[in-house]
Amino acid sequence: MSIQSINPATNEVIKIFEEMSETAIDQAISKSVETFTTWKKSPFSTRSELLHKVAGLLREKKKDLAKLISLEMGKLVSQAEGEIKLSAEIFDYYAKHSEGFLQDKILDPVHGQALVRCSPIGVLLGVQPWNFPFYQVARFAAPNIMVGNTILIKHASIVPQCAIEIEKIFLEAGAPSGLYTNLLITGKRASALVADNRIKGVSLTGSEAAGAIVAAEAGKNLKKSVLELGGSDAFIVLEDADIDKAVEWAVVGRINNNGECCIASKRFIAVEEIANDFFEKLKVKLAELVVGDPADPNTQLGPLSSEEAAVHIADQVKRAVAGGAKISLGGKRVDQAGAYMQATVLTNMLPDNPVYYEEFFGPVAVFFTVKNEQKAIDLANDSPFGLGGSVFTQDIERGKRVADQIDTGMVFINHPTWTQADLPFGGTKGSGYGRELSELGITEFVNKKLIRVSELSDPF
């Protein structure tokens, strides 16, 4: 079976790659196991030096890599350059801080002495998505390589050139063969790999359906898994918010990455005192967006990642309207070649609508008006997802109180949900479990081993 790289701005095939054979996959896993036996013994200085070199190469190749991202999945080139910058920062962050994060934790037992030591567990499988093809890999690979684990990556099938380029960068940086390996295979074959006893853990960022399959395989085979799945982040605007600033951030939160972001602001909830003002200004800003080629620096909204994605979200809008929702802006495909969708705003979305609880992965905003703060919190929590969320208010303490009541893994005050190396990332409910980034992200795939020293006279 072949894997195709397709330009979503034109829907034209760029390159075709053949999938790896079963023999090649087996050899890749065996090599990763072999490399683990030596890499786990390497000093932190060796691991750190490698990651700093990877970061340097990312910065050196930033413009070319950004063009490749844009070509394969439609991200605006300026945002793609930002992704490369962020990815380099993540590699540098773990290169600098991992030794401190993994220091022995000294305990104080009643008798004797004790410590907890973090040790690598072996070969890890990362199943990564297309929407941030370098960043998603960085946040999984960087901490785990610093731990001493080795990495197998099954990247999204629509970004094969990005996947291949990442492996090349590791090798150019001096990584030993088998430390970081790209597996050019489909998702179905990746889930089957979880059962391989040589693979000791799996991390997936993707859909709920894919997460459920991988989690089931991991559980059946008694392996640790980390899942980062979908999101339907609420963007709450309280009556004391700076409305103009809230509107500016609402556009960024919804349209960044052409709306194809798990932590994008998707449900806009405004209290009734300011709802109309916020709503009208938001529509104006969204209507002004320049749609076009993601390689054009003037473009503000590019294509979706694939024709399949564009068809899906257009169908979601159609089903929403059939279920009673109203289109206040957009609602249709853009009349040109490529996987384009108009910036869209839906209102009158009620719980009995068949798409009420679905995630809109694209430039579609759903707007709600509520009576007060408590109703905003209740609506924000009325979702099967629990990834991120935002609260806009000029009273920061109030914002914190509201944030504390929102059932998600992350809440940002006066900013749409976003990410950086030193902040933990992850969700709850249908958005998955486990954390990536920050100190929390380096301890997911380690053996936290207790080492206890007792006196011969200590009681049993």
Side-chain angles (χ1 to χ4, degrees), residues 127-129 131-132 135-136 139-140 202-212 214-215 225-233 260-264 266 359 361 385-388 409-410 417 419 424-437 445:
V127 182
Q128 302 300 328
N131 57 338
F132 290 88
Y135 155 75
Q136 300 278 8
R139 72 185 197 185
F140 169 66
V202 58
S203 177
L204 176 142
T205 297
S207 68
E208 288 179 282
V214 165
S225 61
V226 169
L227 303 179
E228 193 272 280
L229 309 177
S232 189
D233 286 14
E260 295 177 305
C261 183
C262 49
I263 53 171
K266 292 166 185 158
E359 175 184 23
F361 215 66
F385 299 103
L387 192 53
M410 303 170 283
T417 316
T419 182
F425 188 104
T428 186
K429 299 193 290 188
S431 293
Y433 48 78
R435 291 295 180 267
E436 293 181 294
L437 299 176
F445 293 103

Side-chain angles (χ1 to χ4, degrees), residues 246-258:
V247 169
E248 288 179 18
W249 280 122
V251 174
V252 173
R254 177 60 282 192
I255 300 301
N256 176 60
N257 206 46
N258 301 324

Side-chain angles (χ1 to χ4, degrees), residues 44-284:
F44 280 111
S45 58
T46 298
R47 304 174 195 176
S48 177
E49 181 181 3
L50 173 67
L51 291 202
H52 279 312
K53 286 182 178 178
V54 169
L57 287 169
L58 287 171
R59 294 187 177 99
E60 179 184 315
K61 300 171 184 284
K62 180 177 69 173
K63 290 192 177 297
D64 288 338
L65 297 176
K67 290 177 183 177
L68 186 59
I69 293 171
S70 182
L71 183 67
E72 286 205 296
M73 53 73 58
K75 192 191 303 287
L76 303 188
V77 167
S78 61
Q79 293 181 9
E81 289 186 8
E83 179 183 340
I84 297 301
K85 178 177 179 291
L86 175 59
S87 301
E89 289 170 354
I90 292 170
F91 281 108
D92 276 339
Y93 174 80
Y94 281 108
K96 180 179 179 181
H97 296 289
S98 293
E99 184 172 6
F101 291 158
L102 297 170
Q103 283 183 344
D104 292 346
K105 181 179 180 181
I106 307 302
L107 306 180
D108 186 23
V110 174
H111 299 286
Q113 305 168 34
L115 60 86
V116 174
R117 177 165 294 163
C118 291
S119 304
I121 62 173
V123 179
L124 304 178
L125 173 64
V127 182
Q128 302 300 328
W130 45 261
N131 57 338
F132 290 88
F134 282 76
Y135 155 75
Q136 300 278 8
V137 169
R139 72 185 197 185
F140 169 66
N144 285 302
I145 285 172
M146 285 303 299
V147 165
N149 295 318
T150 56
I151 303 298
L152 300 169
I153 293 288
K154 186 282 168 200
H155 217 320
S157 295
I158 69 170
V159 289
Q161 295 188 77
C162 290
I164 291 167
E165 194 62 33
I166 297 170
E167 184 179 49
K168 287 181 179 178
I169 286 172
F170 268 95
L171 293 173
E172 187 176 345
S177 176
L179 177 64
Y180 179 98
T181 306
N182 178 51
L183 301 178
L184 204 59
I185 57 176
T186 60
K188 289 182 179 180
R189 294 176 73 192
S191 58
L193 286 181
V194 180
D196 192 303
N197 61 16
R198 294 170 294 179
I199 294 173
K200 304 304 180 184
V202 58
S203 177
L204 176 142
T205 297
S207 68
E208 288 179 282
I213 292 170
V214 165
E217 285 297 319
K220 186 167 63 177
N221 290 280
L222 303 178
K223 295 178 183 180
K224 174 72 180 287
S225 61
V226 169
L227 303 179
E228 193 272 280
L229 309 177
S232 189
D233 286 14
F235 186 105
I236 297 174
V237 186
L238 300 177
E239 72 279 358
D240 63 345
D242 182 324
I243 300 303
D244 290 336
K245 287 293 185 182
V247 169
E248 288 179 18
W249 280 122
V251 174
V252 173
R254 177 60 282 192
I255 300 301
N256 176 60
N257 206 46
N258 301 324
E260 295 177 305
C261 183
C262 49
I263 53 171
S265 305
K266 292 166 185 158
R267 296 178 297 142
F268 295 85
I269 304 170
V271 296
E272 57 187 13
E273 290 96 319
I274 49 81
N276 188 64
D277 187 21
F278 175 83
F279 178 63
E280 293 301 327
K281 290 179 177 178
L282 177 62
K283 282 198 301 179
V284 168

Side-chain angles (χ1 to χ4, degrees), residues 323-345:
K326 296 181 179 179
I327 297 173
S328 295
L329 179 71
K332 298 180 181 179
R333 295 286 302 275
V334 177
D335 187 18
Q336 66 182 69
Y340 291 91
M341 178 74 186
Q342 295 176 339
T344 299
V345 179

